[in-house]
C-alpha cells in the first residue's frame, strides 16, 4: 500500500451533526466547556454504530465497555444556542486495549471551535480490567497504522 | 370551522427523534429522570424552529425567552442507551403570556415511556416580567382554541 | 400519640444546602429547569443517608433502586449562579412499593423558588419489578400516616 | 523568600469535597467522564469564593468571566455513586489574561482518581475579548511564580 493511499485511509473522517440546545449552554450565554466532551462522545458512539455496533449490544454480547482514559482539549472559539455543529471522529491508533481519536467541533466558519485528542480504553464491564479491542475495530483500521 | 376539523387541528402533533447516549443514563442503567425533560425541551425548540423561529433569534430580535412554569410528568417505562426515541409536542392552549403543551416520549413499543403537561411562560430576557406571546404562535394556533 | 404530636411529626422536614454553579445554569442566565430536579434528588439521597442508608449499599445489599414515577413541579422564581439554596424533603405517604415527597427549593427570601410533589417507586435493580419499601423507611414514618 | 518557603507557597492547595449522586453517573455504573470537569469547576469556583469573590459578582462588577481554554485530563480509577470525593485546586501560573491550574480528584485511597491541567482565560463577558486577570488573583499568587 503506497504512502498516498495510506495517508488517505488515515485521514478518513466520520462526521456527526449536533444541535445546541439550552441544556448545553451556561450563564455566560455560551456552550459549557464539558458539554463539548458529550458532543464528542455522541460522535464516537455514532461512528461505532456506523461500523455496525451499538454500545448496548457490545456490552451485552461481549461484556466490554469503552471508557475515556486521556483527554487533551483546546477550546478556540465558543458555540452558542441554536447552532448546528459538526463533530468529526478520526481514529489514529488502536492497539491492545485502547484506541486514540482526533476529534474536532466545527460551526461552518473557518477553523474548528475546539480540537481534542481522546484515548479510549476497552474494559470488562464487570471487573473493569482491560480487554482486547474487538476485531471489527482493528479490521477497520488495518490500513491506518 | 366544524367540530371535526377543529379536533383534527387540535390534535396536530410535532415529532422529534432523540437518540439516547451514555450522558443521558445513570448507574441504574436507565435514562435519568430529568433527562426526559431535556428531550422534551429539544422537541419544543425544534417545534419552534419548524414554525420558523430559533430561540436565539427570538431573544435577540424581540427580547423574549421562554421558561417552564409548571410540569406534570408521569414515567411509565424506562428508556436505555442506544434507543431511538420519538418525542411529541402538541400545544393545547395559548393565552396572554403562556402556552401549554402535551408531550410524550415513545420507543416504538405500545404506549409512551412518559407523558407530560408543560406550561411555558414568555418573559422578558432582562426584566423577567411576563411578555405577550409572539403573534406567530397565536396565528398557528387560532384553530386550536 | 395526640393529634398535635402527629402533626409535628408529619411536618418534620429534612433540609439540604445546594450551591449553584455554572453547570447548573443556561444561556438565559438562570438555573436550567431540569436542574432543580437534580437538586431535589440530591436532597432525597441525603435524607436517605441521614436515615442510615446509601443508595449504593441499598442496591448491593437488597437489590433495590428508587425511581421517580410521578412529578409535579411549579416554578415560581428563578435561581442564579452562586446562590446557596436550601432544598427541603418531607415524606407525606409511603405504602407498598412507593413513597411520596413534598419538596421545595428556597433562597432565603420569602416563599420558595419552586415546589414539587415527587412519587418514588421502589423497584428491583435487575427485573425492574416493584419491590416492597425497606422497613427502615416505614419505621421512620409510622407516625406520619 | 527562601526556596523552602517558596516551594511551600507554590504547593498550597485548596480542597473541596464533592458527593457523587445518580446525576453524575452513567449506565456503566461509574461517574461519567465529563462530570469530573464539572467537579473541578466547582472546586475552582469555591477557590475563587475563598479568595473573596463570587463568579456572579466579578461579572456584574468588572464585566469579566472565566472560560476554559485548554484541558489535559488523565483518568486513572473510576468513582461511583455515594462516594465523597475531594477535589484539589493549585494555581501554578498566572500571567496577562490567563491562569493555569493543577487539579486532582481523590477518594481517600492511595493515588488520585484523575489528574488535570486546566488553563483558564479571563475574557470580557460581552465582547469575549481577553481581559487582564483581576489584581486579587495576581496578589494571591505573587509568591508562587
Amino acid at each position: 500500500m503506497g504512502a498516498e493511499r495510506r495517508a488517505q485511509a488515515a485521514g478518513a473522517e466520520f462526521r456527526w451533526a449536533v444541535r445546541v440546545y439550552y441544556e448545553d449552554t451556561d450563564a455566560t450565554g455560551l456552550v459549557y466547556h464539558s458539554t463539548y466532551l458529550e458532543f464528542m462522545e455522541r460522535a464516537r458512539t455514532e461512528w461505532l454504530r456506523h461500523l455496525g455496533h451499538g454500545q448496548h449490544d457490545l456490552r451485552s454480547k461481549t461484556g466490554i465497555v469503552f471508557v475515556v482514559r486521556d483527554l487533551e482539549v483546546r477550546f478556540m472559539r465558543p458555540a452558542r444556542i441554536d447552532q448546528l455543529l459538526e463533530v468529526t471522529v478520526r481514529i489514529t491508533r488502536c492497539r491492545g486495549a485502547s484506541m486514540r481519536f482526533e476529534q474536532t467541533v466545527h460551526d461552518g466558519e473557518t477553523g474548528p471551535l475546539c480540537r481534542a485528542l481522546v484515548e479510549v480504553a476497552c474494559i470488562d464491564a464487570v471487573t473493569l480490567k482491560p480487554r482486547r479491542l474487538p476485531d471489527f475495530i482493528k479490521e477497520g483500521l488495518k490500513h491506518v497504522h
Side-chain angles (χ1 to χ4, degrees), chain A:
Chain A
M1 178 186 179
E4 211 172 28
R5 176 99 186 282
R6 195 179 301 143
Q8 189 187 17
E13 236 180 24
F14 176 82
R15 289 153 187 267
W16 188 251
V18 169
R19 178 71 75 171
V20 179
Y21 297 105
Y22 265 118
E23 64 188 273
D24 305 312
T25 60
D26 69 27
T28 61
L30 311 171
V31 170
Y32 185 68
H33 72 295
S34 84
T35 301
Y36 295 97
L37 302 185
E38 302 180 12
F39 291 170
M40 291 186 203
E41 181 168 73
R42 289 186 206 173
R44 293 195 305 276
T45 294
E46 293 299 339
W47 165 83
L48 204 61
R49 196 183 330 276
H50 175 75
L51 295 182
H53 298 268
Q55 302 259 22
H56 182 69
D57 278 2
L58 267 180
R59 183 179 180 172
S60 60
K61 288 176 187 159
T62 68
I64 61 172
V65 293
F66 296 114
V67 292
V68 174
R69 190 64 87 204
D70 252 304
L71 270 180
E72 286 181 43
V73 194
R74 178 144 185 83
F75 300 93
M76 279 92 98
R77 289 186 295 121
R80 290 174 188 281
I81 191 166
D82 281 333
Q83 282 192 302
L84 189 60
L85 306 178
E86 189 175 67
V87 187
T88 67
V89 180
R90 196 158 67 84
I91 186 164
T92 59
R93 201 184 70 181
C94 100
R95 58 180 182 212
S98 75
M99 45 191 171
R100 185 173 293 174
F101 297 92
E102 284 181 24
Q103 298 197 255
T104 60
V105 180
H106 287 265
D107 66 350
E109 304 295 318
T110 308
L113 300 179
C114 74
R115 187 187 290 285
L117 296 177
V118 186
E119 187 155 329
V120 173
C122 180
I123 64 170
D124 187 279
V126 176
T127 66
L128 307 185
K129 303 278 187 206
R131 286 270 302 267
R132 286 181 62 80
L133 286 171
D135 285 341
F136 76 88
I137 289 179
K138 290 180 176 166
E139 280 304 306
L141 294 177
K142 63 188 167 193
H143 304 310
V144 176
H145 303 285

